[in-house]
C-alpha cells in the first residue's frame, strides 16, 4: 500500500509535465502557423505596389527613374517575398540605387501614398561650373560641377562656355571628383562678384570671371574677360592663402600710381601677379 500511495503524486507530476509540453508545442505550432499565414497575407497581391509616381525632375527622365525603382522592388527582400509589397518596400536600397545610377540626382524622398502607389520626390543637382581639361584651350570633354564643386555629369561642347571653367593640372577628371576643396570652391564663387566690381570700376568694361586654373604648383589663375564675349582676357594670379585677402590686394594694385600710369597707355592687360606680398608684377600687351 505504501508503494502505491507514493507513486500517485509522481504519476500526477508526469501527467502535468506531459500536458505542459503538449500545450507548449501546440502554442508554438499555432504561433508559427499564424505567423506564416500572416506573412503570406502581407506579401500577397492585396498589398502589391503597382504605381511609381516621380515628381521634381527637370532634366532626368521620370520614366527611367520609375523603371529603376521597379527593378529594385522586384528583387527579393526575403525568400519568396519581393520588395514591391507595401510592408516590405526596401527604401534604403531604392535610395542607394537611384543616387548611384543617376549622378545628376541630389536627393530622393520615398513616400508610400497608398497601398499600391509609391512617390519618388527628387531634387537634381544645379550646375555651377565646368571642369575641363587643363592641357588644351577647349571646352570639350568637360564635366558639370554642382554647388559643392563635385563633378556629376558630362557636359556638351560649348563655343563659349556659359559657366565658370575650372582647370586642374594635378587631378584626373572623374565623376564624383572635384577640382578644389569645397571651401575653396565656395570662396572663389563668393569672391567673383566683388572682384568683377573692382575690375569694372578700373577698366570701365563689363568684366566677368570666366575661368579658374589650378596650376601644378597649386596656385590659382583667375581669368577675366568681357562678359558674354570672352575677348580681352587677362588673368589675376594668387596663392591658396592669398584668396582671403585677394580683393584688398587687387584694389591696392589697381589703384597704385605705377599701374594707373601704365593703364592710361591703352594697352590691354595680360596678367596681374599677386602671389608675392612685397611686390606686384603685371604686364600689358604691346
Amino acid at each position: 500500500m505504501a508503494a502505491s500511495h507514493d507513486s500517485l503524486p509522481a504519476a500526477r507530476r508526469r501527467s502535468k509535465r506531459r500536458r505542459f509540453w503538449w500545450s507548449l508545442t501546440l502554442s508554438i505550432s499555432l504561433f508559427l502557423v499564424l505567423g506564416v499565414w500572416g506573412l503570406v497575407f502581407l506579401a500577397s497581391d492585396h498589398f502589391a505596389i503597382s504605381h511609381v509616381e516621380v515628381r521634381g525632375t527637370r532634366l532626368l527622365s521620370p520614366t527611367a527613374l520609375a523603371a529603376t525603382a521597379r527593378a529594385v522592388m522586384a528583387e527579393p527582400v526575403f525568400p519568396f517575398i519581393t520588395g514591391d509589397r507595401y510592408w516590405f518596400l526596401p527604401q534604403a536600397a531604392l535610395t542607394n540605387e537611384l543616387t548611384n545610377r543617376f549622378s545628376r540626382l541630389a536627393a530622393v524622398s520615398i513616400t508610400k501614398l497608398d497601398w499600391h502607389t509609391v512617390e519618388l520626390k527628387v531634387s537634381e543637382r544645379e550646375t555651377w561650373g565646368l571642369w575641363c581639361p587643363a592641357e588644351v584651350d577647349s571646352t570639350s570633354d568637360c564635366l558639370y560641377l554642382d554647388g559643392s564643386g563635385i563633378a556629376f555629369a558630362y557636359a556638351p561642347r560649348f563655343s563659349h562656355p556659359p559657366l565658370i571653367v575650372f582647370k586642374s593640372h594635378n587631378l584626373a577628371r572623374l565623376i564624383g571628383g572635384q577640382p578644389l576643396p569645397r571651401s575653396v570652391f565656395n570662396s572663389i564663387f563668393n569672391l567673383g562678384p566683388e572682384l568683377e566690381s573692382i575690375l569694372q570700376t578700373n577698366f570701365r568694361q563689363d568684366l566677368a570671371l570666366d575661368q579658374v586654373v589650378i596650376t601644378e604648383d597649386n596656385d590659382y589663375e583667375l581669368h577675366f574677360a568681357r562678359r558674354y564675349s570672352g575677348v580681352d582676357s587677362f588673368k589675376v594670379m594668387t596663392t591658396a592663402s592669398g584668396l582671403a585677402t585677394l580683393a584688398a590686394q587687387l584694389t591696392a594694385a589697381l589703384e597704385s600710381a605705377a599701374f594707373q600710369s601704365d593703364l592710361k597707355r591703352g594697352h590691354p592687360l595680360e596678367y596681374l601677379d599677386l602671389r608675392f606680398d612685397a611686390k606686384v608684377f603685371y604686364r600689358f600687351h604691346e
Side-chain angles (χ1 to χ4, degrees), residues 37-259:
W37 181 88
L39 193 62
V40 170
F41 176 69
L42 293 177
S44 69
D45 289 342
H46 293 289
F47 302 102
I49 297 172
S50 55
H51 304 289
V52 179
E53 297 183 1
V54 181
R55 304 185 188 279
T57 58
R58 293 184 294 110
L59 298 175
L60 288 173
S61 166
T63 303
L65 288 166
T68 301
R70 288 192 182 94
V72 174
M73 291 190 297
E75 295 291 326
V77 292
F78 294 107
F80 310 110
I81 301 176
T82 55
D84 57 354
R85 297 300 186 262
Y86 181 91
W87 301 104
F88 304 98
L89 182 69
Q91 296 201 27
L94 272 173
T95 300
N96 290 337
E97 180 64 20
L98 289 169
T99 52
N100 289 336
R101 181 164 182 177
F102 299 94
S103 58
R104 186 179 286 276
L105 193 62
V108 58
S109 173
I110 302 169
T111 305
K112 292 181 279 192
L113 298 180
D114 55 43
W115 298 115
H116 308 291
T117 307
V118 165
E119 179 191 65
L120 306 179
K121 190 172 183 181
V122 305
S123 59
E124 298 183 21
R125 298 180 190 271
E126 296 184 2
T127 52
W128 283 49
L130 292 170
W131 189 6
C132 298
E135 296 76 16
V136 293
D137 188 14
S138 171
T139 55
S140 61
D141 300 323
C142 296
L143 302 175
Y144 281 125
L145 297 173
D146 67 7
S148 300
I150 297 174
F152 65 90
Y154 287 96
R157 183 170 184 171
F158 300 100
S159 57
H160 183 68
L163 302 163
I164 297 178
V165 172
F166 290 81
K167 294 185 175 184
S168 174
H169 286 271
N170 297 332
L171 294 174
R173 290 174 306 102
L174 299 170
I175 296 290
Q178 50 191 137
L180 290 168
R182 180 173 180 174
S183 59
V184 178
F185 183 83
N186 291 336
S187 176
I188 288 175
F189 265 96
N190 293 332
L191 267 175
E194 184 178 4
L195 299 179
E196 290 169 359
S197 177
I198 294 170
L199 291 169
Q200 289 166 11
T201 299
N202 284 269
F203 290 94
R204 303 289 190 264
Q205 294 177 355
D206 187 11
L207 298 170
L209 175 63
D210 69 353
Q211 188 175 134
V212 177
V213 177
I214 303 97
T215 69
E216 295 179 357
D217 296 326
N218 288 320
D219 291 330
Y220 299 108
E221 297 178 356
L222 280 66
H223 293 243
F224 295 85
R226 288 190 188 180
R227 197 180 302 274
Y228 308 121
S229 66
V231 299
D232 295 337
S233 175
F234 62 89
K235 60 186 177 183
V236 176
M237 303 155 71
T238 187
T239 61
S241 59
L243 286 173
T245 58
L246 182 57
Q249 284 184 295
L250 181 61
T251 299
L254 294 178
E255 292 178 353
S256 67
F259 185 86

